[in-house]
Amino acid sequence: MSPAAARTRPRRPAAPIRTDPLDPTVPTPRAARRRPAAGPRQLHPGAWWLWALGLGAAATRTTNPLVLLLLAAVAGYVVAARRGDAPWSRSYGAFLRLGLLVLGIRLLFAVLLGSPVPGTHVLLTLPEVPLPTWAQGVRIGGRVTAEGLLAALYDGLRLATLLVCVGAANALASPARLLRTLPGALYEAGVAVVVAMTFAPNLVADVQRLRAARRLRGRSDRGVAAVLSVGLPVLEGALERSVALAAAMDTRGFGRTAAVPRRIAVLTAGLTLAGLLGICLAAYGLLTAGGAGWAAPVLVIGLAAAFAGLLLGGRRSVRTRHRPDPWALPEWLTAGSGVAVAAATAWLAALDPLAFAPTVVPPTAPVLPVAAAAAVLFGLLPAFVTPVPPDTTGSTAGTTTGNTVGTTAGSTTEATATKAATTARTPSGPGRTP
C-alpha cells in the first residue's frame, strides 16, 4: 500500500467512552465501573435486614433481660451511627415507643387477668370478678404474684426487643431500594409489602410535620384536642399519597408481563407449589421427634424447587434495573455479623440454658454471661465498617439552588432577547424613539 493510500484510509471509530449517568461530560474510569465508588453511599438494604433479623433471632433464644437490653442497645447504637436523614429514617423512635407500649400492656394483662405461672410471693390482691362456669380457667382480678410479673416482664421485653430490631431495619434500609432487589417473580407481592412497610415511616413523618406546624402557629401539640386536629390532616395526606402512588404505578405500566409459553407457566407453578409443600413438610418434620431423618433432605429439595420456580417466574417480568445496588465487602460484613450473633446466641443457649432463661419459680437474679455479651457486641460491627450514608439535605438544597439560579438566568436572558427583538421590529424615524 502506498503512503498516500495509507494516509487516505479511514480510521476505525474509537469505542464510545462510558460517562457518568449524572453528568455525561465526565468519563467514568474503568476501576469505578468494576467496584463501587468510595465515599458516602447507601448500604444494600438486604444487608441491613439480614443484620436486623439476626439480632431478632438472637432475641427469640433468650428471656434474660440483660441480654435483651444489650441487643436493643446494639441496635440503637448502629442506628444512631448510620441512620440517614430521609423521612423513613425517623421511624426508629416510634418503634421504641411501640415496644414500651407492648411491654406495659403485657404487664397490665398479667395484673388484671393473672398469670399461669404459679407463685408464692403475693404483692397485692385485687377484687376478683365472679365468672360463669363456662369461663373456667379465666379470671379477672385476684392475687398478683412476683413470679407472674417477672414472667410477663421477660416475655414483654423479648417482644419489645424484636420490635426494636425491626425498627432498626426500617430506619436503616430504604424500602424502595429493597423492592429493586427482589426477583421478578415476587415483584408484585414485593410492591404490596413495601407499601405496607412504608406506612409507619410516612405516618410518623406526617405527624411530626403537623406537630411542628402547630408549634409554629403558637398552638399546643399535646392533649386530646391536638391529637384530633392532627388526625384528619394525616388521613388526608395518606389518601393523597395513595392516589399519587396508584397514578404513578399505572403510568409506569405496573403489572405488565411478558408473553411466556404455557408449558413454562405450568412448570413454574408446579415447581413453586412443590417447593412450598416440601418446606412445610420439612418444618413439620423438624418440629416432631420422629422426623429428624427425612426432614433435612425434604427441606433441601423443597428449597431447590422453590428457587427454580422463582427463577422461571422471573421471565414474566419485563422491568429493568437502573444502577443496581452493589454487594461489596461492607454488605458481607454487615450480614455476616447478624448471622454470627444469631448462631452464637443459639449455640450458647443450648450449652447453658439457665443463663439465657433465668427461672422465675423461685425468682433468681439474671446474670449476663461473658460469652453472650461478646457475641451480642459483635453486632456493633456495621457501625464501623459500613460507609456513611450521603447527606440528602445538602444535595436537595444544592439542586434547588441550581434550579432557581438556572430559572432566573433563563428568565433574564429571555427577557433581554424579547426586548432586543421588539427594538429591532420598531421602525426608527422622526418622532420615534429607538
Side-chain angles (χ1 to χ4, degrees), residues 193-274:
V193 173
V194 169
V195 170
M197 287 169 51
T198 55
F199 173 76
N202 290 330
L203 183 66
V204 172
D206 288 345
V207 171
Q208 291 179 350
R209 176 174 54 82
L210 292 172
R211 291 182 62 186
R214 287 184 61 87
R215 288 194 298 268
L216 289 175
R217 293 186 177 96
R219 301 176 182 176
S220 175
D221 59 342
R222 300 181 182 276
V224 179
V227 173
L228 294 178
S229 62
V230 168
L232 185 60
V234 168
L235 179 61
E236 182 182 0
L239 292 176
E240 291 179 354
R241 190 163 50 248
S242 301
V243 173
L245 177 62
M249 293 169 64
D250 186 40
T251 303
R252 289 166 173 81
F254 176 75
R256 182 167 53 96
T257 58
V260 179
R262 180 175 178 80
R263 57 184 182 86
I264 299 296
V266 172
L267 181 61
T268 301
L271 286 175
T272 305
L273 182 60

Side-chain angles (χ1 to χ4, degrees), residues 124-353:
L124 70 157
T125 302
L126 298 176
E128 188 171 354
V129 178
L131 297 176
T133 56
W134 55 265
Q136 292 181 355
V138 179
R139 67 178 179 87
I140 301 177
R143 298 188 311 163
V144 179
T145 62
E147 291 83 356
L149 282 182
L150 276 179
L153 176 64
Y154 292 167
D155 290 340
L157 188 58
R158 179 167 54 182
L159 183 55
T161 306
L162 287 175
L163 290 174
V164 168
C165 294
V166 174
N170 277 278
L172 293 171
S174 171
R177 292 171 56 245
L178 180 63
L179 176 62
R180 296 192 304 178
T181 62
L182 292 177
L186 300 178
Y187 181 68
E188 286 81 5
V191 170
V193 173
V194 169
V195 170
M197 287 169 51
T198 55
F199 173 76
N202 290 330
L203 183 66
V204 172
D206 288 345
V207 171
Q208 291 179 350
R209 176 174 54 82
L210 292 172
R211 291 182 62 186
R214 287 184 61 87
R215 288 194 298 268
L216 289 175
R217 293 186 177 96
R219 301 176 182 176
S220 175
D221 59 342
R222 300 181 182 276
V224 179
V227 173
L228 294 178
S229 62
V230 168
L232 185 60
V234 168
L235 179 61
E236 182 182 0
L239 292 176
E240 291 179 354
R241 190 163 50 248
S242 301
V243 173
L245 177 62
M249 293 169 64
D250 186 40
T251 303
R252 289 166 173 81
F254 176 75
R256 182 167 53 96
T257 58
V260 179
R262 180 175 178 80
R263 57 184 182 86
I264 299 296
V266 172
L267 181 61
T268 301
L271 286 175
T272 305
L273 182 60
L276 293 178
L277 288 177
I279 293 173
C280 293
L281 288 176
Y284 175 77
L286 291 174
L287 293 176
T288 57
W294 57 268
V298 172
L299 179 61
V300 173
I301 295 174
L303 289 175
F307 184 71
L310 291 179
L311 287 181
L312 290 177
R315 301 174 65 177
R316 297 176 58 252
S317 177
V318 294
R319 67 188 182 97
T320 58
R321 295 178 181 176
H322 174 63
R323 301 175 68 183
D325 295 321
W327 189 278
L329 182 61
E331 281 78 7
W332 284 110
L333 294 176
T334 300
S337 64
V339 174
V341 170
T345 305
W347 180 62
L348 293 173
L351 292 180
D352 190 5

